Amino acid sequence: MPDKPVFRPGIMLENLHQKSPLIHNITNYVTANDCANILLACGASPIMADDPLEAADITGLCQGLHLNLGTPSQSRISSMLSAGKRAARLGIPIVFDPVGAGASPFRIRAAGELLKEIRFTVIRGNLSEIRALSKDRQQEKGVDAAPSDKITEENLEQAAAFARQFARQAETIAVITGAIDIVTDGIRTFCIRNGHPMMNRVTGTGCQLSALTCAFLAANPGQPLEAAAAAAAAMGLCGEIAHKRLGSLDGSGSYRTYIMDAVYHLTPDQLEKGGNYEIR
């Protein structure tokens, strides 16, 4: 059997800086600006096109596709389907962020249609959102994870087992984010302990991570699991760096900006030394 790829998140970040991939985002209007700016901060380039008349054509110009369910509409779902199918034909990595997947029947039907029609490279969400996509659907909630779905050291192995099962079921890489992030292809599992609780006080950090993950995937073809883990570690580490910068009069608004600054200034060496993860 071939050797497993060596996990070097710093090299993956360096590849991202050098390649500057163009990422197509069909995302929600709440965080579209944040997703665009996080991509610029990491060295990638964003483009947003959610009209069905051009979504597939724009995807054909890009190196990655990020689909986000945050503010769904029938036309936006149509654009996601056409863009996703074009990306699949071209071998372009696709990241799906099922924001609030279980919040309404429309969302769960839309997510189900997308899962049926598109083979996603990565699906990233909190535990409640991923449960809403799974066949058992034990929990269905909105944007935030249900209290019972908070990932802790005590339930980490149970959550990781669920993530592996879902990844195999959906034939994808599952990225389940929380106090501890879980990244798995159904076989190998990264447990990442970077991040800060205050990230939950800023809307869009999850959406930003999905966009960032797509950029890492595009810049590191052939290593999607490692690229997704590197993106999660990078985002969490930047949350830690940003929090250390807060002054006595700073709040969530400053923190949001400082996270962006930390992504902009993050170096491969910082990511190599600051990534806090284990591989199971």
Side-chain angles (χ1 to χ4, degrees), residues 55-110:
D57 292 332
I58 294 297
T59 298
L61 304 174
C62 298
Q63 288 77 58
L65 175 64
H66 162 218
L67 305 179
N68 181 297
L69 198 63
T71 52
S73 66
Q74 193 57 61
S75 65
R76 189 172 282 119
I77 298 304
S78 296
S79 295
M80 290 183 180
L81 286 167
S82 63
K85 290 175 182 179
R86 176 67 63 87
R89 287 196 297 271
L90 296 174
I92 295 170
I94 314 169
V95 175
F96 179 43
D97 188 336
V99 177
S104 71
F106 173 65
R107 285 180 193 245
I108 199 63
R109 285 196 303 270

Side-chain angles (χ1 to χ4, degrees), residues 175-220:
V175 178
I176 301 181
T177 49
I180 305 169
D181 297 332
I182 299 170
V183 182
T184 183
D185 60 0
I187 301 172
R188 282 199 300 156
T189 303
F190 288 79
C191 298
I192 300 166
R193 293 176 173 82
N194 289 109
H196 191 277
M198 193 174 177
M199 296 177 81
N200 292 327
R201 304 297 297 170
V202 178
T203 189
T205 54
C207 301
Q208 289 175 321
L209 173 55
S210 294
L212 188 66
T213 299
C214 197
F216 268 87
L217 291 170
N220 295 280

Side-chain angles (χ1 to χ4, degrees), residues 33-51:
N33 182 265
D34 293 310
C35 289
N37 278 307
I38 206 78
L39 287 169
L40 290 169
C42 76
S45 295
I47 188 168
M48 276 70 173
D50 64 3
D51 192 292

Side-chain angles (χ1 to χ4, degrees), residues 2 28 32 44 55 110 114 122 131 136 143 158 165 176 184 197 206 212 221 274:
N28 68 78
L114 290 165
V122 168
R131 284 197 192 282
D136 60 6
V143 173
Q158 181 181 5
Q165 179 184 20
I176 301 181
T184 183
L212 188 66

